[in-house]
């Protein structure tokens, strides 16, 4: 059934369906429904959600806050309003301690049409997210594809407590097209799906230890992994400073290994 | 700017011991009578996984060295054209190395180190995000360049005519490269002019460090981002 394919759901449905039936509540207010003033100035299409849906919900006894980027709106890119909404919900989480923040990432990074504002907003989101990490409130990223997680959002994804990627999703810093455009097709052929997937695809990410969890692109698989991750993190919270020192060793080993190959 | 001139103007002749290894700066300096750690990059280097890891390593070493002592402020000297673009770097997971660097700077702040960055050349996109903008206070020297993407590059990628982008850049500060634009948006706390006393400025900047991120207030005051604060305050203060 097409409805079971997680990545084919629209942004709001993704987080609606993650939650138990009738528990998801989208946060709405005229205060939030500000279309990007910068896109308006450029006479470009706008959206009252500015490409991101935020809300609250539950799975069993777990209280959740949820964020879902809309990859169909400027590639899920982060503009001023988009970023402010994410920062706001993360700051709310810091005060109200949900059992987890669920962040469905589908974004190419900063929105070029308002690049400067987007970059600063994303920086604020990074610090707000790290504030949650510092007090061990879990932030679980789900990267289901269409766009994946690239640019600044590829960095942000790696700040989360856990990353769940579906099998065909991608994550990196510069997208293959960007590298090909700037460095030539001999550096990176973005049309060659195998090369792209071997470089930034979910399985490669899992194998080198960039992500924790890989699953089928199905709603029930994604839900299962989320519940499992929250339960594990309840029993064994991740301490940020410990993670950083452990990660440092892993990243060092990875460079050395590839250098020696 | 020549590194020696930069160090002399920031720390005063004889107040520092700093080495430059390729594109990597490391050392220590006395600022306003206190010891500080200096970590940085120069000559507009493209930061790759190895350099990001090297920066992270020195931060973690500094945290460990100071664990039972006064926490030295860390001064980050930032000059980078952006991250290194290559398939190999992507294969290695360069986004993870950048995230790690950002976490290390954040952790230093939480462990009691005051953190200041000084943009002394260029700061671009992901490198500004994960390096230049992570410290508590971000200062840019007059004449430095901060941007997300060179307009010529942007034109290639978006397939929008360069002249059109150039015109858009003139009309829209949220789009155009420049430290003044980032100052307005709160992304740069201070711009230091050529004639300023940079040593004095640095002492003041260290004193202003705090774990609280005040950039949204700065953006509001400077009329750079006028909607963000209302949105964030609304969400933050919702009833539980």
């Amino acid at each position: 059934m097409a409805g079971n394919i997680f990545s084919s759901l629209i942004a709001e449905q993704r987080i609606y369906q993650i939650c138990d039936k009738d528990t998801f509540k989208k946060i709405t207010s005229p205060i939030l429904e500000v279309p990007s003033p910068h896109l308006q100035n450029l006479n470009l299409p706008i959206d009252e959600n500015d490409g991101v849906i935020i809300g609250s919900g539950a799975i069993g006894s777990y209280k959740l806050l949820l964020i879902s980027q809309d990859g169909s709106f400027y590639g899920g890119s982060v503009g001023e309003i988009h970023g402010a909404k994410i920062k706001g919900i993360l700051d709310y989480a810091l005060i109200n301690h949900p059992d987890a923040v669920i962040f469905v990432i589908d974004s190419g990074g900063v929105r070029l049409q308002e690049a400067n504002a987007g970059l600063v907003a994303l920086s604020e989101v990074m610090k707000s997210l790290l504030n949650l990490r510092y007090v061990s409130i879990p932030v679980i990223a789900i990267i289901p594809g269409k766009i994946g997680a690239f640019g600044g959002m590829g960095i942000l994804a790696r700040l989360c407590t856990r990353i769940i990627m579906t099998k065909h999703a991608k994550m990196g810093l510069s997208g293959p097209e960007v590298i090909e455009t700037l460095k030539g097709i001999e550096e990176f052929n973005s049309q060659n799906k195998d090369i792209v997937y071997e470089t930034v695809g979910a399985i490669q990410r899992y194998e080198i230890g960039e992500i924790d969890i890989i699953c089928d692109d199905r709603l029930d698989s994604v839900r299962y992994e989320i519940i499992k991750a929250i339960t594990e993190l309840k029993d064994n919270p991740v301490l940020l400073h410990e993670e950083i020192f452990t990660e440092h060793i892993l990243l060092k080993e990875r460079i050395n290994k590839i250098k020696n190959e | 700017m020549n590194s020696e001139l930069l160090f002399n103007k920031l720390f005063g002749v004889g107040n520092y011991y700093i080495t430059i290894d390729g594109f990597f700066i490391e050392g220590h300096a006395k600022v306003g009578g206190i010891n500080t750690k200096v970590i940085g990059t120069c000559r507009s280097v493209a930061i790759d996984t190895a350099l990001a890891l090297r920066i992270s390593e020195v931060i973690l070493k500094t945290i460990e060295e100071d664990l039972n002592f006064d926490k030295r402020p860390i001064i980050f000297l930032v000059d980078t054209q952006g991250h290194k673009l290559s398939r190999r770097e992507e294969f290695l997971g360069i986004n993870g190395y950048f995230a790690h660097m950002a976490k290390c700077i954040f952790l230093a702040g939480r462990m009691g180190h005051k953190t200041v960055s000084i943009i002394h050349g260029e700061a671009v996109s992901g490198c500004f995000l994960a390096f230049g903008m992570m410290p508590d206070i971000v200062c840019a020297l007059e004449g430095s360049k901060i941007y997300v993407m060179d307009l010529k590059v942007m034109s290639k990628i978006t397939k929008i005519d360069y002249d059109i982008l150039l015109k858009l850049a003139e009309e829209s500060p949220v789009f155009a490269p420049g430290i003044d634009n980032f100052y307005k948006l709160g992304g740069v706390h201070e711009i230091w002019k050529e004639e300023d006393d940079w040593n004095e400025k640095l002492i003041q900047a260290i004193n202003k460090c705090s774990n609280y991120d005040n950039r949204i207030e700065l953006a509001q005051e400077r009329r750079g981002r006028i909607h963000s604060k209302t949105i964030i305050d609304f969400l933050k203060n919702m009833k539980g």
Side-chain angles (χ1 to χ4, degrees):
Chain A
M1 255 172 70
N4 281 336
I5 306 294
F6 187 71
S7 67
S8 65
L9 298 172
I10 60 165
E12 185 167 341
Q13 278 299 314
R14 287 174 174 179
I15 43 177
Y16 179 90
Q17 303 269 3
I18 283 172
C19 299
D20 288 347
K21 200 167 181 293
D22 296 333
T23 62
F24 178 75
K25 245 182 97 189
K26 178 180 171 182
I27 298 167
T28 55
S29 158
I31 293 171
L32 303 178
E33 280 143 28
V34 186
S36 162
H38 316 301
L39 293 176
Q40 275 176 305
N41 285 343
L42 300 170
N43 287 319
L44 290 167
I46 49 167
D47 164 41
E48 59 174 23
N49 294 315
D50 204 43
V52 65
I53 313 287
I54 50 176
S56 63
I59 301 179
S61 61
Y62 297 141
K63 286 192 169 61
L64 310 175
L65 291 170
L66 304 102
I67 304 162
S68 186
Q69 290 179 308
D70 179 358
S72 68
F73 186 72
Y74 296 93
S77 58
V78 181
E80 173 180 344
I81 307 295
H82 182 116
K85 282 169 70 179
I86 300 174
K87 177 178 161 59
I89 194 80
L90 295 177
D91 289 352
Y92 173 80
L94 189 66
I95 301 166
N96 292 281
H97 284 254
D99 291 298
V101 176
I102 307 296
F103 195 156
V104 182
I105 295 175
D106 205 357
S107 171
V110 165
R111 186 179 298 157
L112 290 179
Q113 291 82 352
E114 47 184 291
N116 302 350
L119 193 73
V120 180
L122 190 52
S123 173
E124 288 169 338
V125 170
M126 283 170 64
K127 288 195 177 182
S128 289
L129 200 154
L130 286 167
N131 285 337
L132 294 180
R133 295 295 322 275
Y134 194 67
V135 294
S136 296
I137 296 173
V139 184
I140 299 174
I142 294 119
I143 308 175
K146 306 291 178 175
I147 308 291
F150 283 96
M153 284 304 298
I155 299 173
L156 185 105
R158 283 285 279 100
L159 299 180
C160 297
T161 322
R162 288 281 180 269
I163 302 177
I164 300 170
M165 278 179 96
T166 64
K167 277 182 186 151
H168 300 288
K170 290 172 285 200
M171 174 176 75
L173 189 50
S174 284
E177 298 82 8
V178 175
I179 298 179
E180 183 186 313
T181 308
L182 297 175
K183 297 286 166 178
I185 196 158
E186 48 299 329
E187 178 62 37
F188 206 157
N189 180 352
S190 67
Q191 295 306 311
N192 186 327
K193 287 208 165 65
D194 290 341
I195 293 183
V196 170
Y197 199 64
E198 281 161 23
T199 311
V200 292
I203 294 174
Q204 194 275 352
R205 285 342 194 181
Y206 182 75
E207 280 170 356
I208 65 168
E210 274 289 288
I211 63 163
D212 315 283
I213 304 148
I214 187 164
C215 74
D216 288 333
D217 184 12
R218 291 171 53 90
L219 174 64
D220 52 359
S221 309
V222 170
R223 236 179 87 94
Y224 171 82
E225 294 298 345
I226 290 172
I227 296 167
K228 199 171 139 216
I230 299 173
T231 309
E232 280 171 9
L233 290 165
K234 272 254 173 274
D235 295 337
N236 290 303
V238 176
L239 298 174
L240 182 64
H241 68 271
E242 284 179 10
E243 173 187 296
I244 293 173
F245 280 92
T246 315
E247 178 176 80
H248 192 74
I249 296 166
L250 181 128
L251 294 178
K252 209 168 175 174
E253 282 172 357
R254 189 189 299 163
I255 284 195
N256 289 335
K257 192 171 161 247
I258 290 185
K259 219 188 278 170
N260 295 333
E261 267 170 14
Chain B
M1 171 182 280
N2 166 311
S3 302
E4 201 179 324
L5 278 175
L6 173 70
F7 301 154
N8 285 343
K9 209 166 159 185
L10 279 174
F11 309 117
V13 181
N15 283 331
Y16 61 88
Y17 177 79
I18 297 171
T19 55
I20 300 178
D21 175 16
F23 300 96
F24 183 67
I25 297 172
E26 188 192 344
H28 45 86
K30 258 202 168 26
V31 180
I34 53 167
N35 291 318
T36 66
K37 181 77 194 173
V38 180
I39 305 170
T41 61
C42 60
R43 293 191 283 133
S44 282
V45 61
I47 300 182
D48 60 4
T49 47
L51 186 52
L53 191 69
R54 194 168 179 188
I55 293 166
S56 305
E57 178 131 337
V58 180
I59 299 167
L60 294 181
K61 222 175 84 197
T62 307
I63 292 173
E64 283 183 320
E65 283 169 359
D66 291 1
L67 218 46
N68 300 311
F69 302 96
D70 288 342
K71 315 293 181 220
R72 284 168 290 170
I74 307 176
I75 318 294
F76 294 94
L77 303 177
V78 178
D79 182 13
T80 161
Q81 57 178 271
H83 62 277
K84 187 164 178 205
L85 282 163
S86 85
R87 195 173 88 83
R88 181 186 177 274
E89 290 297 315
E90 287 299 330
F91 180 82
L92 278 165
I94 186 170
N95 57 310
Y97 286 79
F98 274 46
H100 180 65
M101 177 166 64
K103 284 181 205 172
C104 291
I105 299 173
F106 175 87
L107 183 67
R110 288 309 176 114
M111 298 299 283
H113 297 268
K114 294 176 170 179
T115 55
V116 175
S117 68
I118 298 164
I119 317 298
H120 65 101
E122 288 184 284
V124 182
S125 199
C127 289
F128 189 43
L129 196 60
F131 183 35
M133 250 194 299
M134 279 307 295
D136 297 331
I137 302 282
V138 182
C139 309
L141 302 183
E142 196 177 21
S144 298
K145 288 187 212 149
I146 302 175
Y147 54 96
V148 173
M149 198 181 267
D150 180 82
L151 291 185
K152 284 201 172 112
V153 176
M154 207 188 276
S155 156
K156 270 189 180 173
I157 285 164
T158 58
K159 316 245 179 338
I160 302 172
D161 213 43
Y162 175 64
D163 293 328
I164 295 174
L165 289 181
L166 213 58
K167 196 166 165 286
L168 286 179
E170 278 167 26
E171 290 163 10
S172 172
V174 297
F175 174 76
I179 51 173
D180 293 330
N181 293 329
F182 279 92
Y183 176 84
K184 257 186 96 178
L185 294 164
V188 166
H189 290 80
E190 303 179 3
I191 296 174
W192 297 354
K193 292 188 163 45
E194 188 66 42
E195 63 270 23
D196 289 337
D197 180 343
W198 293 353
N199 185 250
E200 186 52 39
K201 287 271 185 193
L202 180 55
I203 294 169
Q204 288 170 10
I206 291 171
N207 285 330
K208 284 179 206 159
C209 285
S210 143
N211 286 334
Y212 179 74
D213 184 352
N214 70 340
R215 292 175 292 174
I216 206 75
E217 281 88 10
L218 295 180
Q220 178 90 359
E221 276 167 34
R222 296 168 184 174
R223 311 292 296 160
R225 287 178 292 155
I226 51 173
H227 300 287
S228 296
K229 194 175 181 304
T230 320
I231 290 172
I232 291 162
D233 287 345
F234 170 80
L235 287 169
K236 207 160 70 175
N237 300 321
M238 283 185 305
K239 292 274 182 301

